Amino acid sequence: MASIAQEESRSISQNVTVGKRWGMQEGKVSFAYKNFLGYKKENGKIVIDEEEAPLVRRIYTCFLKEGMTCTGIAEKLNAESIPTPSKRGKGWTKNTIYSILTNEKYKGDAILQKTYIVDFLEHKAKKNKGEIPQYYVENSHPAIIVKEEWQMVQMELARRKLLGAKYSGANIFSSKLICEDCGGFFGAKVWHSTDKFRRVIYQCNNKYKNKEKVCQTPHLTETEIKELFVKAYNLSMDDKERIITDTKEIIDLLINNALLDEQLNSLTAEADVIVEMVNKLVQENSHVVQSQEEYEKKYNSLIEKYEKVKNQVDELQQKRAYKLGQAEQLKTFLAQLKKAKTTLQEWDDEVWMTLVESGTVHKDKSITFKYYNGNEVTVR
């Protein structure tokens, strides 16, 4: 009886799984609404929960336009006693914030079958790392975050990951202003903190760490930084159309991988030939008496050639993936650039956070601002 029950359970589980996968192939999307912030089901359709959606937008704004870290955002929401997606108060963590920032569903798309059930008896879910197919459905439901902003968040996450522990989310200038002298970041320092002359300035965080060589870059006030950026931005935007055209040309170059694809096809074909030669050599050795020393020499030589070709294939694939990744980043930058103001009358947090990669402070108090497309402009 137990065996029959187990087989019946397996059969039901298999049928349900097959049904779900057929649905995924046809682009049918479903959510775990109970713990998913910002969406709900209404008349059988996925709709935006207008009560929760503002919180999702606020999280994205805090991260992208205010420079806050995932930890900082979590602490802020906990301090305000805002319930988490699972409706628990003060339960926000950096991982919860990170999952919201990286979830493609907030831009209206969906990756299906991120996890799968390994054992129909225990129903334990496992992260899908290629064991079974995944499906990407574009525009499957209404978006809370526009695609360009979502992509900018992914770029900023990648930038901060490269910086590692050096990244600070203390303010909008953190980890963007760089010292020309030592390469360190500029940070906020308070002068005369206890008297009427109190003021905040920005200087290299490493300025006095090396007693033998003090950084020669000067300190700057927030007003000076903002005024220099507005000046630099307006100079850049005088030639906005050319920048847009140049960026498009760079994107075209990055997505044109005809030569790389040709090299990959050639190397892949070469690898297939070597595999055939190895198989033939192994089969021959199992049927024909021959010197094992000679056999091993030939075998090792072929394996060495195969590894060399495989490494070349891996390098080219990485290069191709990197180029396509750069192209996607520039497409996002281009979308932001097109809708950006041609002239700034005053400082704009959003322009600074979404278009500018860094600002290098020089000894003469000038700053070179570098945009995400590689364009640079120096002002003083």
Side-chain angles (χ1 to χ4, degrees):
M1 292 296 290
S3 296
I4 292 170
Q6 182 173 312
E7 178 58 25
E8 187 177 349
S9 177
R10 185 199 65 76
S11 179
I12 292 170
S13 176
Q14 189 176 48
N15 290 338
V16 169
T17 300
V18 169
K20 283 183 177 179
R21 287 179 183 170
W22 271 108
M24 290 176 186
Q25 288 179 36
E26 293 176 3
K28 292 180 181 177
V29 178
S30 62
F31 283 19
Y33 296 94
K34 189 177 179 181
N35 296 323
F36 203 94
L37 186 70
Y39 287 103
K40 61 183 179 181
K41 198 168 187 176
E42 207 170 77
N43 299 323
K45 293 183 178 180
I46 301 167
V47 297
I48 294 173
D49 187 328
E50 296 300 343
E51 290 184 6
E52 294 182 349
L55 179 56
V56 175
R57 296 187 186 102
R58 182 186 175 190
I59 289 169
Y60 274 74
T61 297
C62 286
F63 180 84
L64 184 61
K65 298 171 186 177
E66 296 176 22
M68 293 180 69
T69 62
C70 292
T71 300
I73 297 170
E75 289 173 351
K76 187 174 185 177
L77 297 181
N78 284 329
E80 296 176 21
S81 298
I82 294 174
T84 63
S86 58
K87 307 300 181 284
R88 289 183 299 154
K90 295 190 176 182
W92 291 96
T93 65
K94 67 176 183 180
N95 291 335
T96 307
I97 300 298
Y98 181 82
S99 68
I100 290 172
L101 292 173
T102 55
N103 197 316
E104 77 291 337
K105 290 185 176 67
Y106 288 114
K107 64 170 175 169
D109 298 346
I111 297 175
L112 307 181
Q113 212 152 237
K114 292 180 181 178
T115 61
Y116 66 101
I117 303 299
V118 182
D119 189 335
F120 74 93
L121 291 174
E122 295 183 2
H123 290 282
K124 285 186 177 179
K126 183 182 177 184
K127 190 172 182 180
N128 183 6
K129 296 181 178 178
E131 291 89 348
I132 56 176
Q134 284 189 331
Y135 307 95
Y136 194 98
V137 185
E138 289 190 273
N139 305 317
S140 61
H141 56 278
I144 294 176
I145 306 297
V146 296
K147 292 184 188 294
E148 291 81 11
E149 184 178 346
W150 188 89
Q151 190 59 43
M152 287 295 292
V153 167
Q154 309 319 303
M155 288 167 58
E156 180 62 11
L157 282 167
R159 186 183 79 88
R160 295 185 191 184
K161 187 177 180 181
L162 285 174
L163 293 174
K166 291 189 292 183
Y167 179 79
S168 166
N171 55 66
I172 54 174
F173 300 125
S174 297
S175 306
K176 279 207 173 188
L177 284 180
I178 302 168
C179 172
E180 175 198 34
D181 211 14
C182 72
F185 288 118
F186 267 54
K189 307 289 183 291
V190 180
W191 283 2
H192 302 284
S193 59
T194 58
D195 58 41
K196 63 179 181 179
F197 300 106
R198 183 186 188 279
R199 67 174 180 146
V200 178
I201 59 96
Y202 289 82
Q203 69 179 27
C204 177
N205 291 327
N206 301 328
K207 191 169 183 70
Y208 299 110
K209 284 186 178 179
N210 187 346
K211 293 180 180 179
E212 296 177 2
K213 186 181 181 298
V214 177
C215 285
Q216 299 302 306
T217 48
H219 69 266
L220 294 162
T221 64
E222 182 175 323
T223 302
E224 287 174 322
I225 298 167
K226 289 182 175 181
E227 285 178 352
L228 284 173
F229 174 66
V230 170
K231 184 179 178 181
Y233 180 85
N234 290 335
L235 281 171
S236 302
M237 292 303 109
D238 280 346
D239 209 3
K240 184 177 178 179
E241 290 307 312
R242 184 189 62 80
I243 296 173
I244 289 173
T245 302
D246 288 349
T247 305
K248 285 179 178 177
E249 287 177 0
I250 295 170
I251 291 171
D252 289 340
L253 286 171
L254 288 169
I255 62 177
N256 182 4
N257 287 302
L259 182 59
L260 271 176
D261 290 341
E262 189 180 327
Q263 291 174 320
L264 276 168
N265 290 335
S266 175
L267 286 168
T268 302
E270 187 179 344
D272 290 341
V273 169
I274 295 172
V275 168
E276 285 182 21
M277 291 173 70
V278 169
N279 289 334
K280 186 177 179 182
L281 184 67
V282 171
Q283 287 177 7
E284 186 180 296
N285 188 57
S286 64
H287 292 94
V288 179
V289 177
Q290 59 180 302
S291 166
Q292 291 305 295
E293 188 177 338
E294 284 298 314
Y295 164 75
E296 286 185 14
K297 188 184 290 185
K298 290 177 184 176
Y299 179 85
N300 290 334
S301 176
L302 287 172
I303 292 300
E304 189 178 329
K305 284 181 183 177
Y306 177 80
E307 288 298 326
K308 186 177 179 181
V309 172
K310 184 177 178 296
N311 288 337
Q312 289 176 310
V313 169
D314 290 344
E315 283 179 21
L316 288 177
Q317 286 177 335
Q318 287 174 11
K319 187 176 180 180
R320 189 179 190 279
Y322 177 77
K323 285 181 69 179
L324 292 176
Q326 290 290 100
E328 285 303 312
Q329 288 184 1
L330 284 179
K331 285 178 185 177
T332 304
F333 170 84
L334 189 59
Q336 292 294 119
L337 180 64
K338 284 179 178 178
K339 68 180 185 180
K341 301 171 186 174
T342 304
T343 304
L344 284 183
Q345 299 301 325
E346 58 185 12
W347 172 264
D348 188 310
D349 283 354
E350 183 174 353
V351 170
W352 169 257
M353 292 302 296
T354 58
L355 295 184
V356 181
E357 182 178 333
S358 63
T360 301
V361 180
H362 304 290
K363 296 174 186 178
D364 62 357
K365 224 169 186 180
S366 64
I367 302 179
T368 297
F369 295 99
K370 181 181 179 182
Y371 296 97
Y372 279 112
N373 69 337
N375 275 29
E376 294 182 349
V377 59
T378 304
V379 290
R380 58 173 302 172

Short mmCIF file of all heavy atoms in Angstrom, two decimals, residues 54-91:
data_model
loop_
_atom_site.label_atom_id
_atom_site.label_comp_id
_atom_site.label_asym_id
_atom_site.label_seq_id
_atom_site.Cartn_x
_atom_site.Cartn_y
_atom_site.Cartn_z
N PRO A 54 4.92 52.25 -4.05
CA PRO A 54 5.76 53.40 -3.68
C PRO A 54 6.97 53.01 -2.85
O PRO A 54 8.03 53.65 -2.97
CB PRO A 54 4.80 54.30 -2.88
CG PRO A 54 3.45 53.97 -3.42
CD PRO A 54 3.50 52.50 -3.70
N LEU A 55 6.84 51.97 -2.03
CA LEU A 55 7.98 51.52 -1.22
C LEU A 55 9.07 50.92 -2.11
O LEU A 55 10.26 51.13 -1.89
CB LEU A 55 7.52 50.51 -0.17
CG LEU A 55 8.62 49.93 0.74
CD1 LEU A 55 9.38 51.06 1.45
CD2 LEU A 55 8.02 48.97 1.76
N VAL A 56 8.65 50.17 -3.15
CA VAL A 56 9.62 49.59 -4.09
C VAL A 56 10.38 50.73 -4.79
O VAL A 56 11.61 50.70 -4.88
CB VAL A 56 8.91 48.71 -5.14
CG1 VAL A 56 9.92 48.22 -6.19
CG2 VAL A 56 8.23 47.53 -4.48
N ARG A 57 9.63 51.73 -5.26
CA ARG A 57 10.27 52.86 -5.95
C ARG A 57 11.20 53.62 -5.00
O ARG A 57 12.27 54.09 -5.41
CB ARG A 57 9.18 53.80 -6.50
CG ARG A 57 8.30 53.15 -7.56
CD ARG A 57 7.37 54.16 -8.20
NE ARG A 57 6.43 53.49 -9.11
CZ ARG A 57 5.16 53.23 -8.81
NH1 ARG A 57 4.67 53.62 -7.63
NH2 ARG A 57 4.38 52.61 -9.68
N ARG A 58 10.80 53.74 -3.75
CA ARG A 58 11.64 54.43 -2.76
C ARG A 58 12.95 53.69 -2.56
O ARG A 58 14.02 54.30 -2.47
CB ARG A 58 10.88 54.52 -1.44
CG ARG A 58 11.67 55.27 -0.36
CD ARG A 58 10.95 55.20 0.97
NE ARG A 58 11.75 55.82 2.02
CZ ARG A 58 11.48 55.73 3.31
NH1 ARG A 58 10.40 55.07 3.72
NH2 ARG A 58 12.26 56.30 4.20
N ILE A 59 12.91 52.36 -2.50
CA ILE A 59 14.13 51.56 -2.32
C ILE A 59 15.09 51.78 -3.49
O ILE A 59 16.30 51.97 -3.31
CB ILE A 59 13.77 50.06 -2.17
CG1 ILE A 59 13.10 49.82 -0.80
CG2 ILE A 59 15.01 49.17 -2.31
CD1 ILE A 59 12.47 48.45 -0.66
N TYR A 60 14.55 51.78 -4.71
CA TYR A 60 15.38 52.02 -5.90
C TYR A 60 15.97 53.43 -5.89
O TYR A 60 17.12 53.64 -6.26
CB TYR A 60 14.57 51.78 -7.17
CG TYR A 60 14.55 50.33 -7.61
CD1 TYR A 60 13.79 49.39 -6.92
CD2 TYR A 60 15.30 49.90 -8.70
CE1 TYR A 60 13.78 48.05 -7.32
CE2 TYR A 60 15.29 48.57 -9.10
CZ TYR A 60 14.52 47.65 -8.40
OH TYR A 60 14.53 46.32 -8.79
N THR A 61 15.17 54.40 -5.47
CA THR A 61 15.64 55.79 -5.40
C THR A 61 16.75 55.95 -4.37
O THR A 61 17.76 56.60 -4.64
CB THR A 61 14.46 56.73 -5.06
OG1 THR A 61 13.50 56.67 -6.10
CG2 THR A 61 14.95 58.17 -4.92
N CYS A 62 16.55 55.36 -3.20
CA CYS A 62 17.56 55.44 -2.14
C CYS A 62 18.89 54.86 -2.61
O CYS A 62 19.96 55.41 -2.33
CB CYS A 62 17.09 54.68 -0.88
SG CYS A 62 15.82 55.53 0.05
N PHE A 63 18.82 53.76 -3.35
CA PHE A 63 20.05 53.10 -3.80
C PHE A 63 20.72 53.86 -4.94
O PHE A 63 21.92 54.17 -4.88
CB PHE A 63 19.74 51.68 -4.26
CG PHE A 63 20.96 50.93 -4.75
CD1 PHE A 63 21.79 50.28 -3.86
CD2 PHE A 63 21.27 50.88 -6.11
CE1 PHE A 63 22.92 49.61 -4.30
CE2 PHE A 63 22.40 50.21 -6.55
CZ PHE A 63 23.22 49.57 -5.64
N LEU A 64 19.94 54.19 -5.97
CA LEU A 64 20.52 54.75 -7.20
C LEU A 64 20.76 56.25 -7.12
O LEU A 64 21.80 56.74 -7.57
CB LEU A 64 19.62 54.42 -8.39
CG LEU A 64 20.13 54.84 -9.77
CD1 LEU A 64 21.45 54.15 -10.08
CD2 LEU A 64 19.11 54.53 -10.85
N LYS A 65 19.82 56.99 -6.58
CA LYS A 65 19.89 58.44 -6.64
C LYS A 65 20.39 59.10 -5.36
O LYS A 65 20.74 60.27 -5.35
CB LYS A 65 18.52 59.00 -7.04
CG LYS A 65 18.10 58.53 -8.42
CD LYS A 65 16.68 58.89 -8.76
CE LYS A 65 16.28 58.24 -10.10
NZ LYS A 65 14.87 58.50 -10.43
N GLU A 66 20.40 58.32 -4.26
CA GLU A 66 20.94 58.85 -3.01
C GLU A 66 22.23 58.15 -2.59
O GLU A 66 22.86 58.55 -1.62
CB GLU A 66 19.88 58.73 -1.90
CG GLU A 66 18.64 59.57 -2.17
CD GLU A 66 17.56 59.38 -1.11
OE1 GLU A 66 17.91 58.95 0.03
OE2 GLU A 66 16.40 59.67 -1.39
N GLY A 67 22.60 57.09 -3.32
CA GLY A 67 23.87 56.42 -3.06
C GLY A 67 23.90 55.54 -1.83
O GLY A 67 24.97 55.10 -1.40
N MET A 68 22.74 55.22 -1.25
CA MET A 68 22.70 54.42 -0.04
C MET A 68 23.05 52.96 -0.33
O MET A 68 22.85 52.46 -1.43
CB MET A 68 21.32 54.50 0.61
CG MET A 68 20.97 55.87 1.17
SD MET A 68 19.32 55.91 1.92
CE MET A 68 19.60 54.87 3.37
N THR A 69 23.58 52.28 0.68
CA THR A 69 23.89 50.85 0.55
C THR A 69 22.65 50.04 0.90
O THR A 69 21.69 50.55 1.48
CB THR A 69 25.02 50.45 1.50
OG1 THR A 69 24.59 50.69 2.86
CG2 THR A 69 26.29 51.24 1.23
N CYS A 70 22.69 48.74 0.58
CA CYS A 70 21.57 47.85 0.94
C CYS A 70 21.38 47.82 2.45
O CYS A 70 20.25 47.84 2.95
CB CYS A 70 21.83 46.44 0.41
SG CYS A 70 21.80 46.31 -1.40
N THR A 71 22.50 47.78 3.17
CA THR A 71 22.43 47.78 4.63
C THR A 71 21.82 49.08 5.15
O THR A 71 20.97 49.06 6.04
CB THR A 71 23.85 47.61 5.23
OG1 THR A 71 24.39 46.36 4.78
CG2 THR A 71 23.80 47.61 6.76
N GLY A 72 22.25 50.20 4.57
CA GLY A 72 21.72 51.50 4.99
C GLY A 72 20.23 51.62 4.76
O GLY A 72 19.50 52.16 5.60
N ILE A 73 19.76 51.12 3.62
CA ILE A 73 18.32 51.17 3.31
C ILE A 73 17.54 50.30 4.29
O ILE A 73 16.50 50.71 4.81
CB ILE A 73 18.06 50.71 1.86
CG1 ILE A 73 18.74 51.66 0.87
CG2 ILE A 73 16.56 50.64 1.58
CD1 ILE A 73 18.74 51.16 -0.57
N ALA A 74 18.07 49.11 4.57
CA ALA A 74 17.41 48.20 5.52
C ALA A 74 17.29 48.84 6.90
O ALA A 74 16.24 48.78 7.55
CB ALA A 74 18.17 46.88 5.61
N GLU A 75 18.37 49.45 7.34
CA GLU A 75 18.37 50.11 8.66
C GLU A 75 17.35 51.25 8.70
O GLU A 75 16.66 51.45 9.70
CB GLU A 75 19.77 50.63 8.99
CG GLU A 75 20.76 49.52 9.29
CD GLU A 75 22.19 50.03 9.46
OE1 GLU A 75 22.43 51.23 9.17
OE2 GLU A 75 23.05 49.23 9.88
N LYS A 76 17.27 51.99 7.60
CA LYS A 76 16.33 53.12 7.53
C LYS A 76 14.89 52.62 7.61
O LYS A 76 14.06 53.20 8.34
CB LYS A 76 16.56 53.88 6.22
CG LYS A 76 15.75 55.17 6.09
CD LYS A 76 16.16 55.94 4.84
CE LYS A 76 15.45 57.28 4.76
NZ LYS A 76 15.89 58.08 3.59
N LEU A 77 14.56 51.58 6.88
CA LEU A 77 13.20 51.04 6.88
C LEU A 77 12.85 50.43 8.23
O LEU A 77 11.71 50.54 8.70
CB LEU A 77 13.04 50.00 5.77
CG LEU A 77 13.21 50.52 4.33
CD1 LEU A 77 12.99 49.39 3.33
CD2 LEU A 77 12.27 51.67 4.03
N ASN A 78 13.83 49.77 8.86
CA ASN A 78 13.60 49.21 10.20
C ASN A 78 13.35 50.31 11.22
O ASN A 78 12.49 50.18 12.10
CB ASN A 78 14.79 48.35 10.63
CG ASN A 78 14.80 47.00 9.95
OD1 ASN A 78 13.75 46.45 9.63
ND2 ASN A 78 15.98 46.45 9.72
N ALA A 79 14.12 51.40 11.10
CA ALA A 79 13.96 52.52 12.02
C ALA A 79 12.56 53.14 11.91
O ALA A 79 12.03 53.67 12.89
CB ALA A 79 15.02 53.58 11.76
N GLU A 80 11.98 53.06 10.72
CA GLU A 80 10.64 53.62 10.50
C GLU A 80 9.55 52.58 10.74
O GLU A 80 8.36 52.85 10.53
CB GLU A 80 10.54 54.15 9.07
CG GLU A 80 11.48 55.32 8.80
CD GLU A 80 11.44 55.78 7.35
OE1 GLU A 80 10.43 55.49 6.66
OE2 GLU A 80 12.40 56.44 6.91
N SER A 81 9.97 51.36 11.17
CA SER A 81 9.03 50.26 11.47
C SER A 81 8.13 49.92 10.28
O SER A 81 6.95 49.61 10.43
CB SER A 81 8.16 50.61 12.69
OG SER A 81 8.97 50.78 13.82
N ILE A 82 8.70 49.98 9.09
CA ILE A 82 7.95 49.61 7.88
C ILE A 82 7.99 48.08 7.73
O ILE A 82 9.06 47.48 7.78
CB ILE A 82 8.57 50.29 6.64
CG1 ILE A 82 8.38 51.80 6.75
CG2 ILE A 82 7.94 49.76 5.36
CD1 ILE A 82 9.07 52.59 5.66
N PRO A 83 6.84 47.44 7.56
CA PRO A 83 6.80 45.98 7.45
C PRO A 83 7.56 45.47 6.22
O PRO A 83 7.58 46.13 5.18
CB PRO A 83 5.30 45.66 7.33
CG PRO A 83 4.61 46.87 7.83
CD PRO A 83 5.50 48.03 7.50
N THR A 84 8.13 44.31 6.32
CA THR A 84 8.84 43.66 5.22
C THR A 84 7.82 43.02 4.28
O THR A 84 6.62 42.99 4.59
CB THR A 84 9.78 42.57 5.76
OG1 THR A 84 8.98 41.56 6.39
CG2 THR A 84 10.78 43.13 6.75
N PRO A 85 8.27 42.47 3.13
CA PRO A 85 7.33 41.78 2.24
C PRO A 85 6.54 40.67 2.93
O PRO A 85 5.40 40.38 2.57
CB PRO A 85 8.23 41.21 1.14
CG PRO A 85 9.38 42.17 1.10
CD PRO A 85 9.60 42.60 2.52
N SER A 86 7.16 40.05 3.95
CA SER A 86 6.46 38.98 4.69
C SER A 86 5.66 39.55 5.86
O SER A 86 5.24 38.83 6.75
CB SER A 86 7.46 37.94 5.19
OG SER A 86 8.45 38.55 6.01
N LYS A 87 5.53 40.91 5.86
CA LYS A 87 4.72 41.64 6.83
C LYS A 87 5.28 41.59 8.25
O LYS A 87 4.56 41.71 9.22
CB LYS A 87 3.27 41.11 6.83
CG LYS A 87 2.60 41.09 5.45
CD LYS A 87 2.53 42.49 4.84
CE LYS A 87 1.84 42.48 3.48
NZ LYS A 87 2.66 41.96 2.40
N ARG A 88 6.59 41.42 8.36
CA ARG A 88 7.22 41.45 9.68
C ARG A 88 7.85 42.82 9.90
O ARG A 88 8.56 43.33 9.05
CB ARG A 88 8.31 40.38 9.80
CG ARG A 88 7.77 38.96 9.88
CD ARG A 88 8.89 37.98 10.06
NE ARG A 88 9.82 38.04 8.92
CZ ARG A 88 11.11 37.70 9.00
NH1 ARG A 88 11.64 37.35 10.15
NH2 ARG A 88 11.87 37.75 7.93
N GLY A 89 7.61 43.40 11.05
CA GLY A 89 8.20 44.69 11.38
C GLY A 89 9.66 44.55 11.76
O GLY A 89 10.06 43.57 12.38
N LYS A 90 10.48 45.52 11.38
CA LYS A 90 11.91 45.57 11.70
C LYS A 90 12.64 44.29 11.30
O LYS A 90 13.56 43.83 11.97
CB LYS A 90 12.11 45.86 13.19
CG LYS A 90 11.62 47.24 13.60
CD LYS A 90 12.04 47.61 15.00
CE LYS A 90 11.61 49.03 15.34
NZ LYS A 90 12.03 49.47 16.66
N GLY A 91 12.21 43.70 10.18
CA GLY A 91 12.87 42.47 9.72
C GLY A 91 13.64 42.67 8.43
O GLY A 91 14.03 41.71 7.77
#
